[in-house]
């Protein structure tokens, strides 16, 4: 059983990592993109990366530029 205490996320560290990603790629992403980055950073945090630098490195290596956050088909209706 995973304790609730070990599942807590430091929101400040996650937000620093997302800000570092934005600064690295020199972009100002929209709300959906920020949510995707925050979710990814949160998962990295829960996987054991605890510093903003470690999280930012993971985000930068996983999401290569702003185009990696673009969703081509937001609904199934758009492909028909």
């Amino acid at each position: 059983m995973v304790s609730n205490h070990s599942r807590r996320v430091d929101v400040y560290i996650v937000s620093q990592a997302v800000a570092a990603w934005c600064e690295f790629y020199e972009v100002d992403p929209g709300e959906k993109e920020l949510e995707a980055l925050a979710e990814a950073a949160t998962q990295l945090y829960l996987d054991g990366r605890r510093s903003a630098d470690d999280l930012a490195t993971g985000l930068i290596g996983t999401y290569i530029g702003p185009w990696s956050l673009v969703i081509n088909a937001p609904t199934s209706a758009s492909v028909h």
Side-chain angles (χ1 to χ4, degrees):
M1 174 184 246
V2 176
S3 74
N4 212 15
H5 190 71
S6 67
R7 302 287 294 171
R8 289 188 184 168
V9 175
D10 189 327
V11 177
Y12 180 72
I13 289 176
V14 168
S15 64
Q16 283 184 313
V18 171
W21 182 94
C22 295
E23 185 177 324
F24 183 85
Y25 287 112
E26 299 176 344
V27 295
D28 186 18
E31 186 175 332
K32 287 184 180 182
E33 292 84 4
L34 288 173
E35 286 179 17
L37 288 168
E39 276 187 40
T42 297
Q43 189 56 55
L44 291 170
Y45 187 93
L46 293 173
D47 289 345
R49 297 184 188 207
R50 292 293 191 253
S51 75
D53 286 342
D54 283 346
L55 293 176
T57 299
L59 290 176
I60 290 166
T62 303
Y63 297 95
I64 313 294
W67 52 90
S68 65
L69 298 171
V70 174
I71 299 171
N72 291 330
T75 66
S76 61
S78 67
V79 294
H80 296 291

